[in-house]
Amino acid sequence: MIMKAMLIGGAGFVGKHLAIYLANTYGWEIVITGLPEEQEAITRSNLGRFAPLNILEREQIQALLEQERPNYIFHLAAQSSVAVSWKSPQTTIDVNIKGCANLLDAIRSIDIYDPKILLIGSGEEYGRLPEGICVVPETTVPCPGNPYAMTKAAQTMLGQLYAHAYRMHIVLARPFNHIGPGQMSGFVVSDFCKQVAEIMNGKEPIVRVGNLTAFRDFTDVRDVVRAYGMLIQHGTPGEIYNIGSGVVISIQALLEKIIQQSGLSITVQHDPQKFRPVDYPSIAADITKLQHTIDWKPEISLERTIADTLTDWQIRLKNHVE
Ligand code: A2R
Ligand code: GDD
């Protein structure tokens, strides 16, 4: 029997990579759900069958699940940007908390149905760390430092609650920064690569940046989706798993690597609009628990990720697909 995976919010950055990985590795049938306006792009891409779904509409979710009854459900739908969450906390709360509550409750209410579910949280949930700590295991108490992180921490608590109270097979992924081709601008590597690709096209050689002093743990999205595919099958319900590389790099060093790959001489300008009210100095994932559970380690180097992201932006700018 061919297994069916439903990627809720699968028309976004991660969903497209996950669809390719699951279909190629496991041969699963892929159903990608998204907002109606995402239908055309997904249908054209041939990544899977598209089903329109707004996760704020609980009845829509239940009807679709009753019809499709997927074996695996990856919950990717979100307002995924920390920066946007400062500007639109209400939307972030609606989509990330109420949307997840709608999904879990819809699954629970369907008779004789026990799918495996992966909820995607965030390394941002940890937020302010205890003095002297910057590599965090899952036992670290979350102290979210922005609206997005707060919603992801709430989603994790909801997932654990449903896993324990209703014995649902809900596994909780906690990915740190993931990057690569196809990411929207608005995230640091994609933002910088887009600007550098524009400069390569002849634009004024200035890159506008926010806080370069933070240190973050970056992993290629193609490595992250491998972990998702394995975790949904082998993770323990109710348990949280960090996903990351375990090492940090400063945003300054990241920018230098991107500029170096372009081979151009570029001026860096600070843009006050790009700074956040709170931005913690340094955080990396302790992935011991993940590696005890699945056979996984990041395989794609930061240099390759940057090169692929730069190339991707050159293609997107040429084709006017931003
Ligand atoms: O906002 P849009 O039009 O880009 O659509 C996003 C979609 N989405 C929704 N889907 C259904 N009902 C909603 N009410 C709703 N609101 C937003 O979720 C987008 O297509 C998808 C999320 O994809 P991205 O923003 O590209 O996030 P990414 O990087 O794929 O992250 C996947 C997961 C998220 O939970 C992140 O918070 C986490 O990984 O890092
Ligand atoms: N976006 C952006 N743009 N960030 C910048 C810029 C800029 O021009 N300049 C500096 N930064 C800094 C931010 O202040 C932050 O310290 C760091 O770069 C990373 O910012 P983002 O790429 O926006 O990611 P994030 O860390 O806020 O959140 C990402 O990682 C989380 C997991 O750790 C997102 O992918 C989240 O969805 C994800 O959950």
Side-chain angles (χ1 to χ4, degrees):
M1 191 184 72
I2 292 180
M3 295 288 184
K4 191 191 285 187
M6 183 176 276
L7 280 49
I8 312 270
F13 166 54
V14 175
K16 294 185 189 120
H17 290 280
L18 182 61
I20 293 169
Y21 171 74
L22 297 177
N24 289 348
T25 310
Y26 304 117
W28 294 348
E29 180 188 347
I30 306 295
V31 179
I32 293 179
T33 85
L35 296 170
E37 57 269 27
E38 298 176 301
Q39 172 145 17
E40 201 196 317
I42 294 300
T43 309
R44 219 178 329 113
S45 71
N46 241 344
L47 288 169
R49 187 152 50 80
F50 183 85
L53 181 68
N54 183 339
I55 58 164
L56 297 178
E57 305 289 340
R58 189 195 170 289
E59 300 311 317
Q60 265 186 28
I61 304 177
Q62 186 165 343
L64 182 65
L65 288 174
E66 271 172 353
Q67 186 189 318
E68 296 284 350
R69 292 194 169 247
N71 308 90
Y72 299 102
I73 299 175
F74 295 84
H75 178 43
L76 305 160
Q79 190 301 97
S80 58
S81 157
V82 170
V84 170
S85 81
W86 284 110
K87 293 178 187 127
S88 306
Q90 296 88 348
T91 308
T92 309
I93 289 166
D94 280 347
V95 176
N96 296 6
I97 303 179
K98 289 189 194 163
C100 179
N102 285 340
L103 173 66
L104 295 183
D105 211 49
I107 297 169
R108 183 178 78 83
S109 64
I110 298 174
D111 276 346
I112 330 172
Y113 181 49
D114 190 20
K116 291 189 172 180
I117 303 152
L118 189 74
L119 296 186
I120 313 300
S122 170
E124 279 291 310
E125 290 173 53
Y126 293 113
R128 182 152 46 84
L129 301 180
E131 193 69 26
I133 302 281
C134 76
V135 182
V136 284
E138 294 82 353
T139 46
T140 310
V141 177
C143 186
N146 56 66
Y148 168 81
M150 182 279 289
T151 64
K152 288 291 179 174
Q155 175 185 279
T156 298
M157 290 166 81
L158 198 59
Q160 289 187 308
L161 184 68
Y162 272 59
H164 293 131
Y166 302 121
R167 301 194 184 288
M168 289 167 70
H169 193 111
I170 301 170
V171 177
L172 302 128
R174 194 169 267 175
F176 285 61
N177 297 58
H178 38 299
I179 53 174
Q183 189 167 33
M184 287 186 294
S185 57
F187 299 91
V188 70
V189 171
S190 190
D191 261 352
F192 291 173
C193 285
K194 180 185 181 193
Q195 293 184 65
V196 169
E198 285 171 340
I199 295 166
M200 290 163 112
N201 278 354
K203 210 175 162 191
E204 183 189 24
I206 297 176
V207 172
R208 291 180 176 80
V209 303
N211 175 23
L212 298 182
T213 67
F215 287 73
R216 293 287 181 272
D217 177 342
F218 291 89
T219 306
D220 192 288
V221 63
R222 293 161 287 191
D223 281 328
V224 171
V225 298
R226 279 193 299 114
Y228 290 171
M230 290 185 235
L231 263 187
I232 201 168
Q233 299 176 81
H234 307 297
T236 302
E239 291 293 321
I240 300 166
Y241 298 89
N242 285 344
I243 302 172
S245 69
V247 293
V248 290
I249 177 170
S250 72
I251 307 300
Q252 169 81 46
L254 202 56
L255 175 62
E256 283 165 10
K257 277 181 186 289
I258 295 169
I259 293 178
Q260 193 187 21
Q261 284 208 17
S262 76
L264 298 170
S265 169
I266 293 175
T267 304
V268 174
Q269 232 173 50
H270 282 99
D271 177 351
Q273 298 291 330
K274 292 188 165 202
F275 283 76
R276 299 171 184 179
V278 177
D279 208 9
Y280 290 114
S282 183
I283 182 163
D286 180 331
I287 54 171
T288 311
K289 182 174 172 184
L290 181 74
Q291 293 188 318
H292 279 148
T293 308
I294 59 173
D295 181 18
W296 182 89
K297 64 174 171 18
E299 285 171 359
I300 301 175
S301 70
L302 190 52
E303 283 68 24
R304 184 178 143 204
T305 306
I306 289 171
D308 290 351
T309 309
L310 262 177
T311 304
D312 180 57
W313 266 114
Q314 288 175 293
I315 295 166
R316 280 152 88 177
L317 292 174
K318 190 166 154 227
N319 296 335
H320 307 285
V321 185
E322 296 186 32

